[in-house]
Amino acid sequence: QKEVEQNSGPLSVPEGAIASLNCTYSDRGSQSFFWYRQYSGKSPELIMFIYSNGDKEDGRFTAQLNKASQYVSLLIRDSQPSDSATYLCAAIRRVQGAQKLVFGQGTRLTINP
Amino acid sequence: EAGVAQSPRYKIIEKRQSVAFWCNPISGHATLYWYQQILGQGPKLLIQFQNNGVVDDSQLPKDRFSAERLKGVDSTLKIQPAKLEDSAVYLCASSRLAGGGRETQYFGPGTRLLVL
């Protein structure tokens, strides 16, 4: 079982709709979760992080965390063509007192005009 | 604030050749990470330094990969000899600290390696 799993997609969403990206993790000890966006040929850039159960909103983005179900999601409201990218979910694991970021395989999102 | 710098941006070599990548982290960042990202996959941590000490190198293929971070700033990652399956993007990232569990990692532009 992979530590962090995502649907690889591609996920296709019409412009203006809500895009929903999902992620599950296997290590119950993971405490912190990150969503990175990666445009083709570019490096990952941080969109949001979430540590507590519930929702966290930042502009058009909402991250949701359910530790009991070991589930993290990212909602993108009013999707724009510029949101087309691969979205990487990552979980922090403690290794010898330091953090180790474990990534999922990414979900490719396409927003259709 | 300048971001994470990496060079070269692209490298093409033949199998069994050697290659080295360089990374300069964000000023003041104590922790430096090297990741390997194969096409269609998420980044995989190869090695993590805190200052000039290795924190985690459990996924580094030590028979062919080596890395160092002299003086706790710049770092180099070397592959010797390269194999076809080493074709990937090598990403360097840095963060201020490593112990808090909530430190954001900032990624450099990556080095795209093609092994023929």
Side-chain angles (χ1 to χ4, degrees):
Chain A
Q1 182 186 11
K2 292 181 181 177
E3 288 190 60
V4 178
E5 284 208 66
Q6 300 178 250
N7 289 329
S8 58
L11 177 65
S12 186
V13 173
E15 184 175 358
I18 296 175
S20 177
L21 303 160
N22 305 316
C23 172
T24 57
Y25 60 95
S26 61
D27 182 4
R28 284 197 173 272
S30 297
Q31 294 293 318
S32 308
F33 304 90
F34 297 76
W35 282 100
Y36 282 82
R37 177 176 62 199
Q38 187 172 28
Y39 291 114
S40 181
K42 302 295 184 182
S43 57
E45 55 178 331
L46 182 67
I47 299 176
M48 291 191 70
F49 55 84
I50 187 166
Y51 314 133
S52 304
N53 272 329
D55 296 359
K56 179 181 178 182
E57 188 175 317
D58 183 2
R60 296 187 296 113
F61 298 94
T62 299
Q64 300 174 318
L65 174 59
N66 183 326
K67 291 185 179 180
S69 300
Q70 295 176 245
Y71 177 87
V72 191
S73 67
L74 179 70
L75 301 178
I76 307 174
R77 290 182 300 281
D78 187 23
S79 297
Q80 303 296 310
S82 59
D83 295 326
S84 297
T86 295
Y87 289 79
L88 297 163
C89 173
I92 288 284
R93 283 189 60 211
R94 289 283 192 131
V95 177
Q96 299 174 343
Q99 66 175 11
K100 175 179 178 177
L101 199 58
V102 180
F103 284 89
Q105 70 270 40
T107 298
R108 191 155 52 96
L109 174 66
T110 300
I111 307 300
N112 300 307
Chain B
E1 180 181 65
V4 177
Q6 289 187 249
S7 68
R9 294 296 308 277
Y10 304 92
K11 191 73 177 179
I12 300 174
I13 61 172
E14 294 186 350
K15 60 182 179 183
R16 291 187 291 271
Q17 285 188 323
S18 302
V19 65
F21 312 129
W22 174 82
C23 173
N24 182 246
I26 293 173
S27 178
H29 280 197
T31 307
L32 185 148
Y33 313 80
W34 283 103
Y35 290 88
Q36 180 193 58
Q37 187 173 24
I38 293 172
L39 188 63
Q41 298 181 18
K44 181 182 82 172
L45 180 68
L46 293 175
I47 189 167
Q48 176 179 338
F49 293 95
Q50 185 163 352
N51 297 311
N52 60 350
V54 176
V55 173
D56 181 9
D57 63 357
S58 57
Q59 297 194 91
L60 186 74
K62 298 180 185 65
D63 58 333
R64 299 184 299 106
F65 286 64
S66 64
E68 61 182 8
R69 189 184 185 196
L70 300 176
K71 301 181 182 178
V73 182
D74 293 7
S75 177
T76 55
L77 175 70
K78 296 179 182 178
I79 307 175
Q80 180 179 10
K83 292 185 175 181
L84 296 178
E85 58 261 35
D86 298 331
S87 295
V89 176
Y90 291 85
L91 295 163
C92 180
S94 70
S95 63
R96 282 193 312 119
L97 299 170
R102 296 182 175 185
E103 286 293 322
T104 298
Q105 295 185 23
Y106 297 90
F107 285 83
T111 296
R112 283 155 182 76
L113 174 67
L114 178 61
V115 182
L116 301 175

